[in-house]
Every structure is written in C-alpha cells, then in structure tokens.
Amino acid sequence: MKRTFHLALLSTAALLLSGCLPEERIWWSPKGDRAIVLLKDRLRLVDEQGSFVGAVEDELSKEDALIKSVGWLPDGSGVVCQRVRKVATWEEARQLVPKAETDAVDKIMPSVLPFLEAAVKLSVQTGSLDDFMESLPTKDHERFVIAVRRSFQQDPAPIELLLARLPNAAESLEWLKKDGGAIEVAELAIFKFDAGRSELQVLARSILGPLVLPRVSPKHGAVAYLKADENAAKVALEVITLDGRAGFTVARHVTTAFDWAPDGRSLVFMAPIDGEGEKLNAVHRLTVVQDNGQLMKPRYDRDVDGKMIEVKGRDRLTAPATLATAITPNRPALQVLPDGRVLFASSMMTLPAKVTTSELESRLFLVSADGESLEPIPTAPGDLPANLGYFVASPDGKRIAVVEGETDAVAVVDVDSGRTQIISPPHPNWGCRTIPAWKSAAELTFAALHGSEAKPAWMLWSEVAGLRCLSEKWPADTMADWLEFKKPDPAAESVISKPSGQP
Amino acid sequence: MNPQSLHALVIDRHAGELSPEAVELLDLHLAQHPSARAEADRIIQALHATSEAVLQHPELGRVVPQERVAPAATRRVSTLPWLAWAAAAALLAAVTGAGGFIAGRAQHSDAGQSPVVKDVPSSPVIAVAQTAPRKQSPWAQYRMTFDPSGQGVQVVRVDSANQGDKVLR
C-alpha cells in the first residue's frame, strides 16, 4: 500500500523533475554573490567562491522538510522555497490548509470503510496492491489516502480488520502506522537570509498536491508556481502575492515550462494543445499583475442579476495570447530573455518523410517581444542535442548553456550568431544530471568531471578566465548525483520507445 | 440547454471534473430552470443508485474482462523516457498533419467582439537555413525507424563516439 498510495506523488515527482534526467541544483542570487546548491537532498548556501556560509542551511534542512527548488527574491534577501512537512494530526492540518481541501477530505470520510471494503473484495482475487488501488471506487486518491489515515487515527480496528484480508496486510498496516499517521503538508514559503537571522513566512499550503518551482516576479511582489493535482494527471500554473493574501490559477493544465516577462507583470508558459500529454504545446503569454503591482481581477464576475459575465478593463484578466506552437518530445522548456524575447526549443519534423531515415533534430527559437515574429537561432546541425530540453540563457540573454541527459557535455550557444562552443567535452558512459546556472552574464557554473580521480565537481567557466573548480573543498562524494556514470552494457539492446501499451 | 449537454455537465460535476466557474454557471442554470433541476436530480439519484449497487455487488464493476498487463517488474524500463515521447510525437505529428515546425500566432478573440485581423505570413512553417554540420557532435544522436515486426516506431541511437555504435531498438 505504501508504494501504491504514494503513486500519485511519485508520478508527480517524475513529471516535474524527470527522474534521472538533469535537474536544477544550483540557484545563483540576482547579484551572483552567493548561491543555493542542492547537495544530497539538502540546500546549502554558498558564497561566490563555493564556501559554505552561515547556519541557514540547518534551518532549510529540517528532517521533516523536503525542499527541491527555490526562487530568489529580486533583491537577493532571501528565497521562495517549496517544502513538505509532516503534521501529527488531522486537526493540526485542518488549521493550516485551505478550507476547500479539508472540506474535500471531510466529504469523502463516510466513504472510507465502504470503499475499502469494495476494493478489498475486488483485489483479494489477485492479491495485487496495484489492483487494490485501481479497485477503489474513487479517482481522487490523495484525498482518499488522507481520509484513510485520518480514519485510522480515529479508530484503527475496522481498517485493520479489512486490510487483514489482503495478502500483504503487514505492509499496508505498517504504512498506516508510520509516523503515527502524520499528514504531509506541502508548503511554499519565503526564507529570508539577511538581518542576522533566519525568518520563514509561509505563503501557501496544500495537502492534496505538491507546490513546486516557485519563480518570483522580477519587478512586483508576486510568485508563480506549479500545483500538481492530487492524481498527478496535470499541473496548474498559480500566482500568489508575496504576502500570501491573494492569488489565483493562471492556467489549469500547463507544462513545467514557464517564466516571467521582464516587466514582472506577464507570465509566458507552455501548455498542451490537445489537453493531454506534452508533445504538442502552445506558448502563451498572459498579464497577471496590474500596473500598480496588484494581481489582476477575475475575468468573469456577476452582474446585477447574478449572472456570470465577462468584465473588461485594464485591471481584468483576459484570454492568453498564443505566441507559437512547438513539438516538444523532450522536456518542454522556455525562458524569457531580458529584452522580452521568448526562447524555446522545438523538434524539427517535416512530413511526409521516410521514417526509416528520419534523424531526430531539435532547434532553439525566439519569439520577438511583440509576439509578431519567430526566428530560429542559427546553429549548425550537430550543435545541439536532439533532446533539447535543458538549456539556460545568461542574465543578459546573449548566450545559452545547453546540456543533455545522455552525455555530460556542456555547450554554450551565442544567441545572435548561433556559434556553439563545447566548453566541457563528453566522457564515455557519463550523463549529466545537473542543469547549469549562470553566475553572471559571463560566468557559467555546471557539473563536470574534475581532478585526477575524475569525479563530479562544480565548475565555473568564463571565456576570459577559463575553467575553475568551486567545490574543491567540499566533502567527498557530496556531488555524486550531479553526474551519473552508467555502467556499459555491451549486450544491451534497449528498446527506447514502443507504441503505448507494448511490453 | 439540450438534454445531452445537461446530462454531461451533471455527470461531470458529480465526478468533480467541472471548474468552479462552470459549476457556478450550471447551478445558476438549474436555479432558473425547474425542469432542468428535476432532470439533474434524477440523474444524480441514478448515479447514487449505481454507486450503491457497485458497492453491494463489486463484481458489477467488472463489465469487460481486461487483458492482463505485464507486471511492472517485468516490463522493460526505458532509460530514455523522453524518447518514448519523441516517437509518439512523430506519430502525433503524422496524425494531426503538424509537419515541420508550426509557428502559430493567435490572439483569442474576446466574447462579443470581432477578432482582430493581423498580418500573418502566408505560410506558418518556419524555414530554417541549414549551415554546415558540426564535424564532431558531442551529443547523442537518434534515428526513428519502424519495428521490423511491425509493432510501431522505434528510436535508435546512432552515434558511435560515445556509445560504441549501440543500437537501441
């Protein structure tokens, strides 16, 4: 049950973090004078020489908190971070999370025992936990899981009796008793570093889905982030003010690719065109913050007769403008450059084609700031990986760092000319697991093999000064997961893709 | 509202699949139309009766025998999950006719207002000038092929520099 009950969360993690593919582990402050780095699932604050500073990381590394991504405040005084913490009882959780979520759990409480009984009846025939979960006559698994834990806290006997009929009852009961039945609460919080003290201010909480990838508006007091639905089927783009008092859903079904425009008022994001999957996406732009820095008001409101009508005005949301369409078999990714142009990747496909000779190719494209034109960055064939989902533009928007998961090579592309230089060559059987991060317009940091033992290290590159290691003094193996060594398998014949459902 | 739309909306709301705005609109409609309200109540009663029946007789939930899916442990796990997307995207593109890169530009028209007509290129396909290929690309390279056994599209890694010319079926 543990595995299956956490299926939704795991799927979400896979969706958001892409599992064994490159992920964000380095976040430089806006001034580039310090950075947060993710080392063995713990966030550390380091200075520009790579030395650990302050005791802040102890606060950010609470055992009951799992923090995976951060977004710096524009003034560099702190970060907005995500975390998951456990609260002991339902009553405690009820005080923390939105009423709509507790109501959703309340509503399903009477169904817990009947639903479990029905699921047990169906799944005892096969004995599979997966079958058990699929047999639950509810599709809102996360709220059901919470309701089960809450019921178990209140009266464990009926649930123990029911689950005892499953072949793996012990595992199920062990999961229910773990942490005393604590409930996980996802949080989005501001963590201030300055003023000689650490200060945590929670902006949003949820028990039904993780709140991830916070990105702070560069000009106004607003944070955009993603909220996965409880069944991990899709993620929504949300925006909230930095005081946590106002917020709304920008789009209900998006990809993980989104960014603020340089005016700090508009969000640019990729969303699936067909509503399912992330292969054919549209790039949208929507203004969510007013001129005065307040969030936009809803697009619809009630008229005097109580009917819902669209209201127009400078302070009202509109439909998003669609800037482009892209084929994204790789991880959807985009970034808004300082001049307002939108950078994104798309696969190149021309049909009809002889599929037997069709080589996969992806390119980088730029939508002009006014959304009126679209141009490819003039790279040469072979300059960019086919899996073009991991790139980061420099703060001045003039260069782009590119990596892929299959090799550990790092390239830097000049935006205007398309000239591409490989600043870190590939090493056989090594794959990149860390997305590079720009310290400044001229300095890039990334993971690469370094030293006589050729171990993963945090490197700083600049065209003028060349390469320098920033992690020389770090404890051994702290960066073991920044790159991955894949054991060569001479007999391997890996089927990479098959039609859906083919074993 | 025609009966089919009403049925669909009531069932979707029961399943929690309607947005809050849509729920509000539906409630407003039901409040203003007693006959629709009565029909909605009838549908909800039927849904409850169905749920009860399935709870009492779980075997009713298994209408069609399903083919057993291979257990996860025996499935071949893709080491490059994005490539599964690649093949699927190719199929998708073929099905939808989305050949090449489609540079769509659109501004959703506002309700009650004529859409703004803008100058658009005669062809939405972006032309990409080809320059001389890089002599030694460091990246993994792939080719799509059809499975000889006719089971669909495969992706083959074809670069030899880093992979030893390994064929990834």
Side-chain angles (χ1 to χ4, degrees), chain A residues 5-6 8 38 66 70 80 134 137 147 195 205 228 241 278 311 320 420 424 453 465 478:
Chain A
F5 267 6
H6 282 119
L38 182 64
L66 174 65
V70 298
V80 176
E134 286 173 11
R205 294 188 176 97
T241 53
E278 297 183 347
V311 183
T420 302
S424 184
E453 296 182 8
T478 39

Side-chain angles (χ1 to χ4, degrees), chain A residues 141-426:
Chain A
H141 281 186
E142 199 61 38
R143 72 185 66 179
F144 186 76
V145 166
I146 294 168
V148 170
R149 298 194 81 137
R150 188 178 155 197
S151 299
F152 192 78
Q153 277 186 345
Q154 291 172 347
D155 185 8
I159 295 177
E160 283 181 348
L161 204 61
L162 275 173
L163 296 182
R165 291 154 61 186
L166 287 174
N168 28 25
E171 187 190 358
S172 308
L173 290 170
E174 183 188 350
W175 173 78
L176 279 172
K177 292 173 181 172
K178 188 184 175 190
D179 301 323
I183 293 167
E184 291 185 342
V185 178
E187 290 185 335
L188 209 60
I190 298 176
F191 203 101
K192 291 270 192 176
F193 296 135
D194 292 333
R197 59 194 168 86
S198 299
E199 185 184 318
L200 193 68
Q201 175 201 344
V202 177
L203 297 178
R205 294 188 176 97
S206 174
I207 49 172
L208 297 184
L211 313 174
V212 297
L213 296 178
R215 298 210 172 122
V216 187
S217 162
K219 295 279 178 62
H220 298 288
V223 186
Y225 63 96
L226 298 178
K227 180 176 183 181
D229 78 355
E230 60 181 298
N231 297 314
K234 55 189 177 185
V235 289
L237 178 60
E238 309 263 334
V239 65
I240 192 171
T241 53
L242 273 177
D243 59 12
R245 290 181 181 170
F248 58 81
T249 301
V250 177
R252 295 185 188 282
H253 190 180
V254 298
T255 69
T256 56
F258 70 98
D259 197 9
W260 285 96
D263 66 1
R265 295 181 54 215
S266 298
L267 282 167
V268 180
F269 56 94
M270 269 192 189
I273 283 178
D274 57 355
E276 293 182 5
E278 297 183 347
K279 302 169 192 73
L280 196 58
N281 282 302
V283 179
H284 300 289
R285 183 168 58 198
L286 180 66
T287 302
V288 298
V289 177
Q290 300 179 41
D291 296 333
N292 61 12
Q294 293 183 342
L295 294 187
M296 287 285 195
K297 294 177 181 172
R299 187 177 166 197
Y300 296 97
D301 223 336
R302 290 188 185 281
D303 66 6
V304 290
D305 299 325
K307 290 181 181 175
M308 295 290 283
I309 57 166
E310 183 177 13
V311 183
K312 293 177 181 173
R314 291 178 61 83
D315 59 349
R316 293 285 178 169
L317 284 168
T318 62
T322 303
L323 304 177
T325 309
I327 298 172
T328 55
N330 40 273
R331 168 184 182 256
L334 67 74
Q335 191 171 348
V336 186
L337 303 185
D339 59 8
R341 288 183 294 172
V342 178
L343 169 71
F344 69 97
S346 175
S347 283
M348 302 288 295
M349 291 182 185
T350 303
L351 298 178
K354 292 172 67 180
V355 177
T356 50
T357 60
S358 173
E359 196 155 305
L360 291 173
E361 184 187 359
S362 297
R363 296 286 288 263
L364 292 165
F365 294 86
L366 284 167
V367 180
S368 61
D370 61 7
E372 293 297 312
S373 64
L374 175 66
E375 290 181 353
I377 292 180
T379 49
D383 277 350
L384 299 173
N387 181 9
L388 190 51
Y390 306 93
F391 57 83
V392 191
S394 60
D396 62 359
K398 292 184 176 174
R399 287 189 275 201
I400 303 163
V402 180
V403 295
E404 68 168 356
E406 269 298 283
T407 73
D408 62 339
V410 183
V412 171
V413 180
D414 181 84
V415 170
D416 290 337
S417 68
R419 188 177 73 89
T420 302
Q421 50 181 324
I422 307 301
I423 62 168
S424 184

